[in-house]
Amino acid sequence: MKQLLVWMCLLPAPALHAQTTTDRGSAPDRISYVSFRPGNWDLYYFEKPGSSPRRLTNHPDLDYDAAMSPDGRWVVYCAERHSNPDLYVLDLKKGGEPRKLIESPAMEDQPQFSPDGKTLVFVSSHSGNAEVYTIPFRPGTTQSMDKATNLTNHPGGDFRPSFSSDGRYIAFSTDRDTPPTGWAAGRQRVGEIYRMNRDGSNLSRLTTAPDWDGSPVWSADGKTIYYYARREGEQRIWAMNADGSNQRAISPKGLPALSPAPMNNGRVLFTVKKGGRETQNRGDRFTGSWQLMSIREDGSDLRAESDTLQHYWSPVFHPGTGAIICHGTGPAQNELPPSPAAIVVGSGPLLVPGSEFPARFDQRTATVYPLRTFTNIIHPFRNEVIHSVMPGPTLIKTDVAGDPTDTLLTIEPEQSPWFSAGWSANGEWVVYMKGRMFGGPETEADVWKMRPDGTGTVNLTPNSPGNDGFPGISADGSRVVFRSGRSGNYDVFLMNGDGSRPINLTNHPDKDAFPAIAPDGQSVVFSSNREGDRDPVTGERTYELYHLHLNPDGMPGTLKRLTDSPGQDAHSQFSPDGQWIVFASERGGINDEEPLVQDILFSPQMYGEICAMRLSDGKVIRLTHNKWEDGFPCWVGPVQPPAGQSTLVEK
């Protein structure tokens, strides 16, 4: 753990311009973000249905979504080793280490083989959103994405492709037909199933439904497509003719089911959610298991095909050998207690193992780190992070690897500090929110500050009516920006570091939120739904980012809209020199079918990638590509050793 101490206090961000790095040398900054992702997943191999599985992979991070070659020798799967999910291949015949198949800064996932084993179809975010691609299968080499062919080329998300048994067609799911709907922190999508020729031509829509139809796979004779359909909040396994006719449910009600896979003898394999829920102080936690089961196409003879000792998902069946490969929880996750925020974040260490990565843009390089937590406050020059744990909730201070732990304060369950977001650059003060984060503008909440050792707590808004929260603090601690409902609307306010002289900076009837103040205290960035895309159901607009310059007296000056992209842009923070911001964005859509993420790992919003923007010209660099929700980024300078010590740190 001690060697992780600079595993960096989170992430080394891009190297700043020379005039801003005089005291920092060449050490990179650190960017961290909150990642709603599960813990360790591994691949499991069943020699036959119902047998004891053999674990194929051994890595503390995520291995999932496997496909078996027609000859039974190769397994292609998605692995998260660094900044993004990549496709890897395992040789079941000769063994050895897995090899990366495609070199790309984007996500590659959801692979399937063509019947002759010569081609892979898969999903990638290479073009900016989830698209269906094909590439020759060459297990002995790592290919560039330049060798892949984009078959869908659509701004909507396309997922889970599958070849027909004769190799002529590809079925896939897509959210292209219905725009996202719902409230800001819970946008939902609808998925349909399409069929196309293997070259992407002759596109045909097969389903029309009010909810998700997903994960299509073909029967051995090519006459039937199996899929799951979500109706009235529950997924069941369905079947239809290859032209979309005769759609019918084949698995029983009351047994939530996903990920069908055809077997021999007219059976269909799938994964089911069995068990109950345990009530905790802030919601329910699933206490059962995801198990493999199969059923005949006529809906008879339901039977279990796996144990219930751990979770199993996304099975594939090999008709020649009778083997099953799937992914499930690995020992690194099983040995850990549930995450402090297990309801949403899943199990796993604070810092996702092996997931840090360098981000390069312009003359800058940054190390970026995902954290499994709701709160993400990094010390500006030490290897410390303040984050929240459950129950409580409690604010604790740790090193970036999560150890040791220092309890700072415990707050009543309804007084959530999850979205506290400010550490002054001089390291002397932390600001946080105490109170309900959601609710109307009149819902009581306050902005507090404290010393980083948990002492000196001060309520900065003790006598103000309404919801004060989501604070940010200037570098020297002299100014605090926050969102407040005291005006009857959600506006951005600025006050002195002692809580005096509050100023309404925005004074707008729409919702302004998530403000951050520049290191020099002379400008503010925030999110607002005043001009975003309008939800067709709720009528609310999505959030975009704005930059507000402040006059010398702190009064609002020039306002500029920064983003104009599909979906939400929010959670922005300044770089240490104030020239860039980092933020979370929905512009890439989602990268997998919604039920496959939400039902397995509850996430309040099915979107969220981390981007950086240069304020001088609006240039945007996307930093993350994955299927998890990423949000609340934080950008600080490099770790600085105590006076007289070397800047070199053992990694």
Short mmCIF file of all heavy atoms in Angstrom, two decimals, residues 390-411:
data_model
loop_
_atom_site.label_atom_id
_atom_site.label_comp_id
_atom_site.label_asym_id
_atom_site.label_seq_id
_atom_site.Cartn_x
_atom_site.Cartn_y
_atom_site.Cartn_z
N MET A 390 -20.50 4.73 3.45
CA MET A 390 -21.75 4.39 4.09
C MET A 390 -21.48 3.30 5.13
O MET A 390 -20.55 2.53 4.98
CB MET A 390 -22.74 3.90 3.04
CG MET A 390 -23.09 4.94 1.99
SD MET A 390 -24.13 6.24 2.67
CE MET A 390 -25.65 5.34 2.90
N PRO A 391 -22.34 3.13 6.17
CA PRO A 391 -23.45 4.02 6.49
C PRO A 391 -22.97 5.28 7.17
O PRO A 391 -21.80 5.43 7.45
CB PRO A 391 -24.30 3.16 7.42
CG PRO A 391 -23.30 2.29 8.11
CD PRO A 391 -22.23 2.00 7.08
N GLY A 392 -23.86 6.15 7.40
CA GLY A 392 -23.52 7.41 8.03
C GLY A 392 -24.38 8.54 7.49
O GLY A 392 -25.40 8.84 8.05
N PRO A 393 -23.98 9.10 6.35
CA PRO A 393 -22.69 8.91 5.69
C PRO A 393 -21.56 9.56 6.48
O PRO A 393 -21.79 10.42 7.32
CB PRO A 393 -22.89 9.59 4.35
CG PRO A 393 -23.92 10.61 4.60
CD PRO A 393 -24.82 10.08 5.68
N THR A 394 -20.35 9.13 6.20
CA THR A 394 -19.18 9.62 6.90
C THR A 394 -18.16 10.14 5.91
O THR A 394 -17.93 9.52 4.87
CB THR A 394 -18.55 8.48 7.73
OG1 THR A 394 -19.51 8.02 8.68
CG2 THR A 394 -17.32 8.96 8.46
N LEU A 395 -17.56 11.28 6.21
CA LEU A 395 -16.44 11.77 5.42
C LEU A 395 -15.15 11.24 6.04
O LEU A 395 -14.94 11.37 7.24
CB LEU A 395 -16.41 13.30 5.40
CG LEU A 395 -17.43 14.01 4.52
CD1 LEU A 395 -17.27 15.52 4.63
CD2 LEU A 395 -17.30 13.59 3.07
N ILE A 396 -14.30 10.63 5.21
CA ILE A 396 -13.04 10.12 5.70
C ILE A 396 -11.91 10.65 4.83
O ILE A 396 -12.12 11.07 3.69
CB ILE A 396 -13.00 8.58 5.73
CG1 ILE A 396 -13.07 8.01 4.29
CG2 ILE A 396 -14.10 8.02 6.59
CD1 ILE A 396 -12.88 6.52 4.24
N LYS A 397 -10.71 10.63 5.38
CA LYS A 397 -9.52 11.04 4.64
C LYS A 397 -8.57 9.86 4.56
O LYS A 397 -8.28 9.21 5.56
CB LYS A 397 -8.83 12.22 5.33
CG LYS A 397 -7.58 12.73 4.61
CD LYS A 397 -7.05 14.02 5.24
CE LYS A 397 -6.58 13.79 6.65
NZ LYS A 397 -6.02 15.01 7.27
N THR A 398 -8.11 9.55 3.36
CA THR A 398 -7.21 8.43 3.15
C THR A 398 -6.11 8.84 2.20
O THR A 398 -6.13 9.92 1.62
CB THR A 398 -7.95 7.23 2.54
OG1 THR A 398 -8.26 7.51 1.17
CG2 THR A 398 -9.23 6.93 3.28
N ASP A 399 -5.14 7.92 1.99
CA ASP A 399 -4.29 8.11 0.83
C ASP A 399 -5.10 7.66 -0.38
O ASP A 399 -6.21 7.15 -0.25
CB ASP A 399 -2.96 7.36 0.97
CG ASP A 399 -3.10 5.85 0.98
OD1 ASP A 399 -4.08 5.33 0.44
OD2 ASP A 399 -2.21 5.17 1.51
N VAL A 400 -4.56 7.87 -1.55
CA VAL A 400 -5.37 7.64 -2.73
C VAL A 400 -5.73 6.17 -2.92
O VAL A 400 -6.71 5.85 -3.57
CB VAL A 400 -4.67 8.18 -3.98
CG1 VAL A 400 -3.50 7.31 -4.35
CG2 VAL A 400 -5.64 8.30 -5.14
N ALA A 401 -4.93 5.27 -2.36
CA ALA A 401 -5.23 3.85 -2.46
C ALA A 401 -6.28 3.41 -1.45
O ALA A 401 -6.70 2.27 -1.45
CB ALA A 401 -3.96 3.04 -2.27
N GLY A 402 -6.71 4.32 -0.57
CA GLY A 402 -7.76 4.00 0.37
C GLY A 402 -7.29 3.61 1.76
O GLY A 402 -8.08 3.18 2.59
N ASP A 403 -5.99 3.76 2.07
CA ASP A 403 -5.48 3.33 3.35
C ASP A 403 -4.29 4.23 3.73
O ASP A 403 -3.47 4.57 2.88
CB ASP A 403 -5.00 1.88 3.22
CG ASP A 403 -4.54 1.31 4.55
OD1 ASP A 403 -5.26 1.49 5.54
OD2 ASP A 403 -3.46 0.69 4.55
N PRO A 404 -4.14 4.65 4.97
CA PRO A 404 -5.04 4.40 6.10
C PRO A 404 -6.26 5.33 6.08
O PRO A 404 -6.34 6.22 5.25
CB PRO A 404 -4.15 4.71 7.30
CG PRO A 404 -3.24 5.78 6.79
CD PRO A 404 -2.97 5.44 5.36
N THR A 405 -7.15 5.11 7.03
CA THR A 405 -8.39 5.88 7.08
C THR A 405 -8.42 6.79 8.30
O THR A 405 -8.06 6.38 9.39
CB THR A 405 -9.61 4.93 7.13
OG1 THR A 405 -9.65 4.17 5.93
CG2 THR A 405 -10.89 5.71 7.27
N ASP A 406 -8.87 7.99 8.09
CA ASP A 406 -9.01 8.99 9.14
C ASP A 406 -10.45 9.50 9.10
O ASP A 406 -10.85 10.11 8.12
CB ASP A 406 -8.07 10.16 8.86
CG ASP A 406 -7.29 10.56 10.09
OD1 ASP A 406 -7.52 9.95 11.13
OD2 ASP A 406 -6.47 11.46 9.97
N THR A 407 -11.26 9.23 10.11
CA THR A 407 -12.63 9.71 10.11
C THR A 407 -12.64 11.20 10.44
O THR A 407 -12.08 11.63 11.44
CB THR A 407 -13.47 8.94 11.15
OG1 THR A 407 -13.47 7.56 10.80
CG2 THR A 407 -14.90 9.47 11.17
N LEU A 408 -13.30 11.96 9.58
CA LEU A 408 -13.37 13.41 9.79
C LEU A 408 -14.68 13.81 10.46
O LEU A 408 -14.68 14.57 11.41
CB LEU A 408 -13.23 14.13 8.45
CG LEU A 408 -11.91 13.89 7.70
CD1 LEU A 408 -11.87 14.73 6.43
CD2 LEU A 408 -10.72 14.22 8.58
N LEU A 409 -15.79 13.32 9.95
CA LEU A 409 -17.06 13.60 10.59
C LEU A 409 -18.12 12.64 10.07
O LEU A 409 -18.02 12.16 8.94
CB LEU A 409 -17.53 15.04 10.37
CG LEU A 409 -18.03 15.46 9.00
CD1 LEU A 409 -18.81 16.75 9.12
CD2 LEU A 409 -16.88 15.68 8.03
N THR A 410 -19.09 12.35 10.90
CA THR A 410 -20.23 11.52 10.52
C THR A 410 -21.48 12.39 10.54
O THR A 410 -21.68 13.18 11.46
CB THR A 410 -20.40 10.34 11.49
OG1 THR A 410 -19.23 9.53 11.43
CG2 THR A 410 -21.61 9.49 11.12
N ILE A 411 -22.30 12.22 9.53
CA ILE A 411 -23.46 13.08 9.34
C ILE A 411 -24.72 12.22 9.33
O ILE A 411 -24.69 11.06 8.89
CB ILE A 411 -23.32 13.88 8.03
CG1 ILE A 411 -22.07 14.76 8.11
CG2 ILE A 411 -24.54 14.74 7.76
CD1 ILE A 411 -21.75 15.50 6.84
#
